Amino acid sequence: MLGWVITCHDDDAQAMIDRLEKKLGPLPQCRAVNYWRGLSTNMLSRMMCDALHETDTGEGVIFMTDKSGAAPYRAAALLSHKHENCEVISGINYALLEMMYPLRETLSSAEFRDTLVGQEIPGVSSLWHQQQKNPPFVLLHELYKN
């Protein structure tokens, strides 16, 4: 089963998990990380790292963030590059989480990401999809060639 780390501004992440638990019961391998104004980037990164390790059983973790490019998204992006089978999704909301919850048990992290973004919901994207739009810089010649 894929782990979920839901991270949003203010207390939205915890509110979404609480609402999901009310409807679906206990949510194994799910953690909320709330990002409040004034929280340092270092503390946010530590909280996200703890949540990653608490939710990962080896099958992968999906970071679900509210806003693309914001501090929680950036912290998730940095962590995802250090761990296999991690994906970062932005633009999430409660209805989307409820719809995608059952797929945690059957899809790989990449399949989950593609299925979620494939719904073509305005504002929903993934780090991977954004990177495909902006491929890494490649030198066309060797600058320091002898």
Side-chain angles (χ1 to χ4, degrees):
M1 176 188 310
L2 294 172
W4 273 8
V5 176
I6 301 169
T7 178
C8 302
H9 290 76
D10 303 319
D11 63 350
D12 290 349
Q14 189 62 52
M16 283 190 221
I17 283 191
D18 291 345
R19 192 170 165 197
L20 280 171
E21 283 181 334
K22 259 186 187 173
K23 182 164 185 165
L24 305 171
L27 305 175
Q29 293 174 242
C30 287
R31 296 292 177 272
V33 176
N34 294 311
Y35 177 68
W36 296 281
R37 182 183 307 223
L39 185 68
S40 72
T41 305
N42 183 50
M43 183 55 78
L44 174 62
S45 295
R46 292 179 67 181
M47 292 165 56
M48 298 275 282
C49 187
D50 289 346
L52 168 66
H53 290 290
E54 289 172 9
T55 58
D56 189 13
T57 61
E59 294 183 40
V61 173
I62 308 294
F63 287 100
M64 311 287 271
T65 69
D66 56 353
K67 299 175 184 175
S68 184
Y73 180 88
R74 292 190 312 267
L78 290 172
L79 285 171
S80 74
H81 290 299
K82 297 177 185 178
H83 298 276
E84 288 187 36
N85 304 318
C86 282
E87 299 292 340
V88 181
I89 306 293
S90 62
I92 58 111
N93 58 49
Y94 174 79
L96 188 62
L97 294 177
E98 185 178 348
M99 177 183 70
M100 296 302 292
Y101 184 78
L103 300 178
R104 294 175 59 213
E105 295 186 35
T106 58
L107 299 179
S108 71
S109 56
E111 291 168 334
F112 187 92
R113 171 202 70 214
D114 291 340
T115 300
L116 185 60
V117 175
Q119 300 292 319
E120 297 186 8
I121 298 168
V124 175
S125 188
S126 77
L127 175 62
W128 185 86
H129 285 87
Q130 293 302 316
Q131 289 172 328
Q132 302 317 298
K133 292 178 185 175
N134 300 301
F137 177 75
V138 177
L139 285 176
L140 299 178
H141 64 280
E142 286 193 44
L143 187 59
Y144 300 106
K145 187 177 180 180
N146 289 333

